[in-house]
């Protein structure tokens, strides 16, 4: 189970970053165990809530055939950004999922568009805490 808390999963590029996290989850699925659950806690987009809901629904529909249960909820007043993994790890992300620098995602010859690990990142800090 992965819980993602990030109040800024609203715009297209932020939802794309979330989709890349879903790809990481998919690469590490152990199908001999229970199906993975990914739950997002974010704030509602006050300017375009319909588009935000559409992006999240599209992510859900993309991962459902792979047996990943993706859910989300909107919660006001959250600020801290982190990931909780299997109630064993709390990964604190000072920038949330918005760590990558902009790139041309429409350029078919761009390595950044084809391979997320080739993308440049902004300066950020990560703290890993093992929950006992």
């Amino acid at each position: 189970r992965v819980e993602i808390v990030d109040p800024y999963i609203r715009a297209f590029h932020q939802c794309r970053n979330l989709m890349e996290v879903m790809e990481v989850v998919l690469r590490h699925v152990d199908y001999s165990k229970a199906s993975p659950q990914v739950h997002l806690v974010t704030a509602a987009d006050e300017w375009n809530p319909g588009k935000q809901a559409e992006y999240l629904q599209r992510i859900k529909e993309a991962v459902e055939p792979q047996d990943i249960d993706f859910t989300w909820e909107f919660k006001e007043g959250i600020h801290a950004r982190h990931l909780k993994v299997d109630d064993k790890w709390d990964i604190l992300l000072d920038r949330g999922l918005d760590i990558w620098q902009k790139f041309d995602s429409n350029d078919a010859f761009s390595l950044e568009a084809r391979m997320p690990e080739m993308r440049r990142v902004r300066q950020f800090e990560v703290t890993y805490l093992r929950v006992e």
Side-chain angles (χ1 to χ4, degrees):
R1 176 167 166 77
V2 177
E3 181 179 67
I4 302 166
V5 179
D6 188 333
Y8 302 104
I9 305 297
R10 303 172 183 179
F12 175 80
H13 75 280
Q14 294 162 331
C15 290
R16 179 188 169 134
N17 293 344
L18 174 60
M19 187 65 191
E20 289 181 6
V21 171
M22 301 301 283
E23 291 170 15
V24 170
V25 170
L26 182 59
R27 285 189 191 107
H28 294 90
V29 169
D30 180 354
Y31 285 104
S32 67
K33 298 181 180 177
S35 298
Q37 298 174 329
V38 180
H39 182 68
L40 170 67
V41 180
T42 192
D45 185 345
E46 56 198 50
W47 291 284
N48 200 346
K51 200 53 130 170
Q52 179 187 30
E54 175 191 336
Y55 294 148
L56 296 175
Q57 184 61 36
R58 288 178 65 186
I59 291 170
K60 180 177 182 63
E61 291 168 1
V63 300
E64 259 179 347
Q66 302 305 317
D67 207 22
I68 296 176
D69 180 22
F70 174 63
T71 57
W72 66 90
E73 68 178 285
F74 298 117
K75 188 173 183 180
E76 298 306 316
I78 57 174
H79 176 72
R81 300 164 186 106
H82 59 103
L83 302 172
K84 290 184 180 181
V85 181
D86 290 333
D87 293 323
K88 295 179 184 175
W89 291 96
D90 198 356
I91 304 167
L92 311 178
L93 307 168
D94 72 332
R95 292 189 72 96
L97 302 182
D98 199 13
I99 62 170
W100 289 281
Q101 292 186 15
K102 290 184 179 188
F103 67 99
D104 184 358
S105 62
N106 294 319
D107 182 355
F109 303 103
S110 165
L111 285 177
E112 293 89 352
R114 310 283 310 162
M115 302 171 66
E117 62 271 20
M118 300 301 289
R119 291 172 62 188
R120 295 177 6 158
V121 296
R122 299 175 182 165
Q123 184 174 347
F124 68 98
E125 294 181 10
V126 177
T127 304
Y128 298 91
L129 300 172
R130 183 160 176 87
V131 179
E132 299 290 330

